[in-house]
Amino acid sequence: MDWQAFWLTTRLAVLVGAILAAIAMPIAYWIAYSRWRWKFLVEAVVALPIVLPPTVLGFYVLVALGGRSPLGRWWQSLTGHTLAFTFEGLVIGSVIYSLPFAVQPFAASFAGVDRRLILASSTLGASALRTFFRVIVPLSMPGLIAGVALSFAHTMGEFGVVLMVGGNIPGVTRTVSIDIYDQTQALNYAGANTTALLLLFLSFTMLALVYGLNRRAGTTWPWKHS
């Protein structure tokens, strides 16, 4: 068991989950309540990482973070190196890859809030921001918990994107999924099995917690209800 890779992956998943909790909420809110006729194009872009091959997404993220891109040149001028093949680059790639796993449950939960409650809050003089945090967020909590949990679990198991963006640098970009691949390539099935079982246990535990919390809230998969 490569504990260095495990703790690096855990740190990556926690950071990605926290970042997505912040940036996915406004995107999901806009998707849930916007009446723009071309909104479906934004929804398609957000959902694209679900169907796009990880190597394709990883390639374009790698290009965007490299020394020839504006972002890569800017980062290099600040730090002396590009974002590619760094932990920071892994965070950016993972946020993009896991974005739909947060946005879609968030948006479905927001859309499921009774519009009459939102209208009542507005009628009583509450601002849109206050209504969001005092009415919409509490009523959408099952979906928010599910989105964060799925983003965390999805990041823990990433392979294609992290390999393309970060490579396989021990202690810097080597995640548990890459470690499993390396162990399998070396015919060390016992080592690969140990790490795989740990990921299996963590994934099952995460989903069981989501199901348990949502069952107490009166729903199973909150983003399937509108």
Side-chain angles (χ1 to χ4, degrees):
M1 180 69 194
D2 187 346
W3 289 107
Q4 185 182 56
F6 174 77
W7 291 119
L8 186 145
T9 308
T10 303
R11 182 159 60 100
L12 175 66
V14 169
L15 280 173
V16 169
I19 293 171
L20 285 176
I23 68 174
M25 275 204 226
I27 299 174
Y29 180 87
W30 183 85
I31 289 175
Y33 297 111
S34 173
R35 295 183 178 180
W36 186 45
R37 64 177 299 184
W38 301 105
K39 182 178 69 173
F40 68 90
L41 295 176
V42 177
E43 293 180 284
V45 170
V46 170
L48 196 58
I50 295 178
V51 297
L52 199 63
T55 50
V56 174
L57 179 62
F59 169 75
Y60 285 113
V61 173
L62 179 62
V63 171
L65 301 182
R68 296 184 178 181
S69 70
L71 176 61
R73 289 196 298 269
W74 173 77
W75 184 264
Q76 190 167 17
S77 67
L78 292 178
T79 64
H81 58 80
T82 63
L83 281 164
F85 306 109
T86 65
F87 181 78
E88 292 81 2
L90 284 189
V91 172
I92 295 174
S94 298
V95 165
I96 295 173
Y97 191 43
S98 296
L99 183 64
F101 291 88
V103 171
Q104 290 186 349
F106 288 5
S109 293
F110 291 162
V113 175
D114 192 332
R115 299 296 179 97
R116 292 173 296 180
L117 298 177
I118 300 174
L119 181 60
S121 177
S122 177
T123 302
L124 292 172
S127 65
L129 189 62
R130 184 177 178 84
T131 299
F132 176 75
F133 284 108
R134 297 297 296 271
V135 178
I136 298 175
V137 168
L139 294 175
S140 304
M141 196 54 67
L144 300 182
I145 293 173
V148 172
L150 289 175
S151 301
F152 178 89
H154 186 250
T155 303
M156 286 291 294
E158 286 179 23
F159 177 73
V161 171
V162 295
L163 182 61
M164 292 288 292
V165 175
N168 186 4
I169 307 173
V172 179
T173 62
R174 186 178 188 183
T175 62
V176 286
S177 56
I178 296 176
D179 177 62
I180 292 173
Y181 176 78
D182 286 345
Q183 297 284 9
T184 303
Q185 290 291 98
L187 302 182
N188 182 10
Y189 296 124
N193 182 57
T194 300
T195 308
L197 281 176
L198 179 59
L199 283 182
L200 177 63
F201 172 77
L202 288 175
S203 300
F204 174 80
T205 302
M206 189 69 66
L207 289 176
L209 287 173
V210 169
Y211 269 111
L213 290 172
N214 288 332
R215 182 176 295 276
R216 291 183 61 185
T219 183
T220 303
W221 289 107
W223 57 91
K224 291 185 179 180
H225 298 269
S226 58

